[in-house]
């Protein structure tokens, strides 16, 4: 799959039971449907491993307000929405496959907010 943000190839990364796709150029990360729920709270240790995987990568950003196409359904434009009513972080979600794209540092921000 190609990165929806910058167009580079995504690398599959497996941590525990979770398989995600990471962009080495912009440190974005793709979650298939329901996968994000395994790591979106601070006590979920798999998320720590994922953040370690992302840490060394570049963060070549790029405006994050533009609409993205789903890396799986490349003709589908993803929806932007708040992660949750309590959290102002905007995520990109595919209306076709239910996958979610997080830009660099959004995962750590979501996990940090889950503690409060
Ligand atoms: Zn990228
Ligand atoms: Zn999709």
């Amino acid at each position: 799959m190609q990165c929806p943000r910058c167009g580079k190839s995504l690398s599959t990364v497996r941590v525990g039971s979770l398989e995600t796709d990471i962009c080495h150029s912009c440190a974005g990360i793709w979650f298939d449907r329901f996968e994000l729920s395994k790591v979106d709270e601070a006590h979920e240790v798999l998320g720590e491993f994922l953040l370690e995987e992302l840490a060394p990568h570049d963060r070549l950003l790029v405006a994050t307000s533009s609409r993205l196409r789903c890396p799986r359904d490349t003709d589908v434009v993803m929806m932007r929405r708040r992660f949750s009513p309590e959290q102002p972080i905007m995520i990109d979600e595919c209306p076709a496959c239910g996958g979610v794209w997080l830009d660099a540092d959004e995962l750590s921000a979501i996990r940090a907010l889950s503690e409060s």
Side-chain angles (χ1 to χ4, degrees), residues 3 5-8 23 25-26 101:
C3 175
R5 180 66 70 196
C6 72
K8 297 288 189 336
C23 178
S25 293
C26 67
W101 175 258

Side-chain angles (χ1 to χ4, degrees), residues 42-63:
H43 65 86
E44 292 168 319
V45 69
L46 284 182
E48 289 300 319
F49 295 127
L50 264 188
L51 291 174
E52 284 173 23
E53 293 284 343
L54 288 166
H57 299 315
D58 296 333
R59 282 150 168 71
L60 299 176
L61 286 188
V62 281

